[in-house]
Amino acid sequence: MSQSNPLQITLIGAGTIGLSFVALHFQHAVSPGAPTLELTIHDSRPDIEEYILQTLPAYIDADITKKPYVAGGFDITLRDVQKRSRSNTLIVDDNLESAVSKASIIQEQGPESAAFKTALWPKVEQHCPPDALLWSSTSGISASIQSTHMKDRSRLIVAHPWNPPHVMPLIEVVPSPHTSPEVITRTMGFWKSMGKVPVLLQKEITGFVGNRLAFALLREAIHLVNEGVASVKDIDSVMENSLGPRWAISGPFKSYQAGGGEGGIEAFFNNIGGTVQACWNDAGKVNMGEGWEERIYNQTGEAYGVVDTKRRDAKTRTVLGGARSSGE
Amino acid sequence: MSQSNPLQITLIGAGTIGLSFVALHFQHAVSPGAPTLELTIHDSRPDIEEYILQTLPAYIDADITKKPYVAGGFDITLRDVQKRSRSNTLIVDDNLESAVSKASIIQEQGPESAAFKTALWPKVEQHCPPDALLWSSTSGISASIQSTHMKDRSRLIVAHPWNPPHVMPLIEVVPSPHTSPEVITRTMGFWKSMGKVPVLLQKEITGFVGNRLAFALLREAIHLVNEGVASVKDIDSVMENSLGPRWAISGPFKSYQAGGGEGGIEAFFNNIGGTVQACWNDAGKVNMGEGWEERIYNQTGEAYGVVDTKRRDAKTRTVLGGARSSGE
């Protein structure tokens, strides 16, 4: 894309994820060679302009000023890179038709409701440019379901970020069986060019990969608190001082490949497969609504109160820098 | 402990974990205020001295020289802190009786066999000082089992490190119902004074906490590869770019407390409990020996070959530094 054409992105839905995407795109727009950014937010809340002015500074250290002569327009200038900044624009537009009419990328993070999403995409499809990429940030409603009423179902793909997307590298890219290879390729390419780590799933599946893995571990963690083996805080401490830092550098398969020494993961399972199976046989099988909730909620609330996510995000950047140090 | 009395620690078993403990103790011995260290290694391999000289430098950057007038003794001087080093000694002793006779701490990381361990402790108990702390590094054989033939079962406790212990902060401290409160208190106190994070479990349980959590996630990861949802490498990539860095900073309960905003983990479950339960209902239930092994071993071997653990450990230190930045 030449420097003279701005990159036009439209975000549908300005909640936590939406504003974090705003931060991500404006951060990237000041990197060398990046095109000028024209980012449109479409959201139905009536106080949207005020809300953005109040909330966005928690995500991005920037000067935000009204842009004269651009309806709903704001100038966003990142404070730490002012000399490299150019005129990147944020536009707030409560009219869906005009909000998507010129976009080359349209990403929705609206309500997590199949009814909302299946109704949205036919309207978007009707008014957006024919080659615009159409992405859903959903964590649970597949592109198969979302595209039900679209004329061209090959256009839609899930691009599920990890929260908050302006910090976390992962994007789970989940096509439906209808999604075209070209849409997959362009989607993967865009996120790589943003410095993100898009991972392409081969099949649609409930919860995708990241949340399925997290919830499997969470189930065992709840079981251990429930059984009185360890407190909420002690389980978190175990994670922060062993598995977390280990998996920040090498995922479970790579870790057990290392754990088996020269014999790799096969040697690991030969050595310790009996213990692994014993733990699986004995694994917790808690379910929602079985009465463990109160203990977990109370212990967690007492341990942490309201978590300072700004500090967490600053630490996350440091950890990610360390995990990527000395190449990979 | 006064500076004039050396800290006498005996390690039984000089495999990967044993040598990493050697590195840990010598690293700590040069910190301000630490007592002089006299560390004894007891191991039955005949080439033990050669083995240590060859293998220890992979764990610790030190000059290792023979110590005249000390049978089996070595001088270990850390290269990066020479000016603060004093005369810390490593002694190799293949006689169990003399190896434990003066120790204030005895930690075993011998063969992972109940027969070995239940036979070991009565001998140790007979020859060691009456107030010596007795620790097992086992990942699977409880202190209840190990202490079966001891005269005083209250002395034994599990102190399970995360590999490699000279890098990873976690020590899972697992008493048996016989273990005395005083042994628990002294054990927790020692590891805290070493800058480690000891976590005290309230009950003995197969796999303790860390491995149970890891294996629960591993089971789902194997299932996802097995079902063709994602490759070994893609699953590792998901972990390294989302859950790993997140859990390095805040464990699962703290993470979901943050994920629920002001409503905390209760709001998280109210929002997304349906998806959590759907993932649990659909969770993988693979078992050892069901035929998934070959695919996993092949994909992992092809992806990684022999993992460079020295580089991993260097990155781990950076990640741990980042996770602990700006206090906690």
Side-chain angles (χ1 to χ4, degrees):
Chain A
M1 186 172 290
S2 92
Q3 296 281 342
S4 54
N5 292 326
L7 173 62
Q8 293 182 304
I9 297 177
T10 295
L11 299 173
I12 299 173
T16 308
I17 299 289
L19 286 192
S20 174
F21 271 131
V22 172
L24 170 68
H25 290 300
F26 277 90
Q27 278 166 4
H28 189 260
V30 295
S31 62
T36 303
L37 176 66
E38 194 176 299
L39 193 148
T40 300
I41 290 189
H42 172 73
D43 195 289
S44 59
R45 59 188 295 165
D47 63 339
I48 177 73
E49 294 197 6
E50 246 174 65
Y51 170 73
I52 288 172
L53 285 169
Q54 273 187 359
T55 314
L56 194 55
Y59 296 82
I60 200 170
D61 187 28
D63 289 315
I64 309 176
T65 49
K66 277 267 187 187
K67 199 151 192 162
Y69 314 116
V70 181
F74 294 93
D75 230 334
I76 296 192
T77 309
L78 272 65
R79 289 210 189 93
D80 57 348
V81 284
Q82 287 203 356
K83 59 182 174 178
R84 278 190 290 145
S85 95
R86 59 172 87 79
S87 184
N88 297 306
T89 307
L90 176 67
I91 295 168
V92 173
D93 188 348
D94 64 1
N95 180 288
L96 180 65
E97 187 171 329
S98 58
V100 303
S101 65
K102 290 182 296 176
S104 60
I105 289 170
I106 297 158
Q107 182 154 21
E108 76 83 24
Q109 36 283 318
E112 199 66 347
S113 130
F116 170 83
K117 292 178 201 291
T118 52
L120 173 73
W121 291 117
K123 284 185 241 163
V124 170
E125 185 183 32
Q126 192 186 336
H127 298 292
C128 74
D131 60 347
L133 286 164
L134 308 185
W135 297 339
S136 172
S137 303
T138 183
S139 62
I141 303 167
S142 65
S144 288
I145 292 172
Q146 292 193 38
S147 66
T148 309
H149 302 312
M150 289 176 77
K151 262 192 195 140
D152 181 0
R153 301 180 76 177
S154 76
R155 299 187 66 180
L156 189 66
I157 194 164
V158 166
H160 174 234
W162 209 259
N163 188 28
H166 72 292
V167 176
M168 302 301 285
L170 178 66
I171 305 282
E172 290 181 289
V173 175
V174 195
S176 81
H178 307 283
T179 309
S180 76
E182 190 229 338
V183 164
I184 297 173
T185 306
R186 287 174 61 205
T187 302
M188 295 293 287
F190 177 84
W191 287 113
K192 281 181 195 158
S193 78
M194 293 287 287
K196 292 291 173 184
V197 181
V199 171
L200 177 65
L201 305 202
Q202 304 300 316
K203 280 183 190 175
E204 293 182 319
I205 190 167
T206 307
F208 310 139
V209 167
N211 276 332
R212 287 182 76 96
L213 296 171
F215 297 159
L217 185 140
L218 177 65
R219 192 181 207 182
E220 184 64 22
I222 292 168
H223 169 68
L224 291 169
V225 175
N226 222 18
E227 293 292 309
V229 174
S231 67
V232 155
K233 226 174 163 172
D234 280 345
I235 283 180
D236 280 351
S237 186
V238 166
M239 292 301 296
E240 292 158 18
N241 291 288
S242 61
L243 295 166
R246 171 60 37 87
W247 288 337
I249 295 162
S250 47
F253 292 113
K254 189 175 184 183
S255 291
Y256 292 127
Q257 178 76 0
E262 294 204 354
I265 193 167
E266 184 166 1
F268 165 81
F269 272 108
N270 288 341
N271 289 338
I272 206 172
T275 305
V276 173
Q277 184 65 50
C279 289
W280 289 348
N281 291 342
D282 188 42
K285 304 256 184 303
V286 298
N287 292 294
M288 297 293 303
E290 287 179 351
W292 48 265
E293 286 89 345
E294 195 180 343
R295 180 189 297 196
I296 298 284
Y297 299 165
N298 287 346
Q299 270 197 39
T300 309
E302 276 163 30
Y304 304 118
V306 175
V307 177
D308 181 349
T309 52
K310 207 166 176 180
R311 192 163 135 205
R312 178 196 69 184
D313 293 343
K315 285 186 181 185
T316 305
R317 289 181 195 278
T318 317
V319 164
L320 288 168
R324 277 144 195 74
S325 61
S326 56
E328 179 56 35
Chain B
M1 187 172 290
S2 93
Q3 297 282 342
S4 54
N5 292 326
L7 174 62
Q8 293 181 304
I9 298 177
T10 295
L11 299 173
I12 299 174
T16 308
I17 299 290
L19 287 192
S20 173
F21 271 131
V22 173
L24 170 68
H25 290 300
F26 277 90
Q27 277 167 3
H28 189 259
V30 295
S31 62
T36 303
L37 176 67
E38 194 177 298
L39 192 147
T40 299
I41 289 190
H42 171 72
D43 194 291
S44 59
R45 59 188 295 165
D47 63 338
I48 177 75
E49 293 197 8
E50 245 174 65
Y51 169 73
I52 288 171
L53 286 169
Q54 272 188 358
T55 315
L56 195 54
Y59 296 82
I60 197 169
D61 188 27
D63 289 316
I64 309 177
T65 50
K66 276 268 184 187
K67 197 151 194 165
Y69 314 117
V70 181
F74 295 91
D75 230 336
I76 296 191
T77 310
L78 273 66
R79 288 211 189 92
D80 58 348
V81 284
Q82 288 202 354
K83 59 181 175 179
R84 277 189 291 146
S85 96
R86 58 173 86 81
S87 185
N88 297 308
T89 306
L90 175 67
I91 295 167
V92 173
D93 189 346
D94 63 3
N95 180 289
L96 181 65
E97 188 171 326
S98 59
V100 303
S101 66
K102 292 182 296 178
S104 60
I105 289 169
I106 298 158
Q107 181 153 21
E108 76 82 23
Q109 37 283 320
E112 198 66 346
S113 129
F116 170 83
K117 292 179 201 292
T118 52
L120 173 73
W121 291 116
K123 286 185 242 163
V124 171
E125 184 182 34
Q126 193 186 337
H127 299 292
C128 74
D131 60 347
L133 287 164
L134 308 184
W135 297 338
S136 172
S137 303
T138 184
S139 62
I141 303 167
S142 66
S144 288
I145 292 172
Q146 293 193 37
S147 67
T148 310
H149 303 310
M150 289 177 76
K151 264 192 193 140
D152 182 0
R153 301 181 76 176
S154 76
R155 299 187 66 182
L156 190 64
I157 194 165
V158 166
H160 175 233
W162 210 259
N163 190 28
H166 72 291
V167 176
M168 301 303 285
L170 178 67
I171 305 282
E172 289 180 290
V173 174
V174 195
S176 81
H178 308 281
T179 309
S180 76
E182 190 229 338
V183 164
I184 297 173
T185 306
R186 287 174 61 207
T187 302
M188 295 293 288
F190 177 84
W191 287 115
K192 281 181 195 159
S193 79
M194 293 287 285
K196 292 290 174 185
V197 181
V199 171
L200 176 64
L201 305 201
Q202 303 301 318
K203 279 183 188 173
E204 293 182 319
I205 189 168
T206 308
F208 311 138
V209 167
N211 276 333
R212 287 182 75 97
L213 296 173
F215 297 160
L217 184 140
L218 177 65
R219 193 180 208 183
E220 184 63 22
I222 292 168
H223 169 68
L224 291 170
V225 175
N226 222 18
E227 292 293 309
V229 174
S231 68
V232 155
K233 228 173 161 171
D234 279 345
I235 284 178
D236 280 351
S237 185
V238 165
M239 292 300 297
E240 293 157 18
N241 293 288
S242 61
L243 295 166
R246 170 61 38 87
W247 287 338
I249 296 162
S250 48
F253 292 113
K254 189 174 184 184
S255 292
Y256 292 127
Q257 179 76 1
E262 295 203 354
I265 193 168
E266 183 166 2
F268 165 81
F269 273 107
N270 288 341
N271 289 338
I272 205 172
T275 305
V276 173
Q277 184 65 49
C279 289
W280 288 349
N281 292 342
D282 187 41
K285 302 256 185 302
V286 298
N287 292 293
M288 295 294 302
E290 286 179 350
W292 49 265
E293 287 88 345
E294 196 181 341
R295 180 190 296 198
I296 298 285
Y297 299 165
N298 287 346
Q299 268 197 39
T300 309
E302 277 163 29
Y304 304 119
V306 175
V307 177
D308 180 350
T309 52
K310 208 165 175 181
R311 191 164 137 206
R312 177 197 68 185
D313 292 344
K315 284 185 182 185
T316 305
R317 287 181 196 279
T318 317
V319 163
L320 288 167
R324 278 144 194 74
S325 60
S326 57
E328 179 57 33

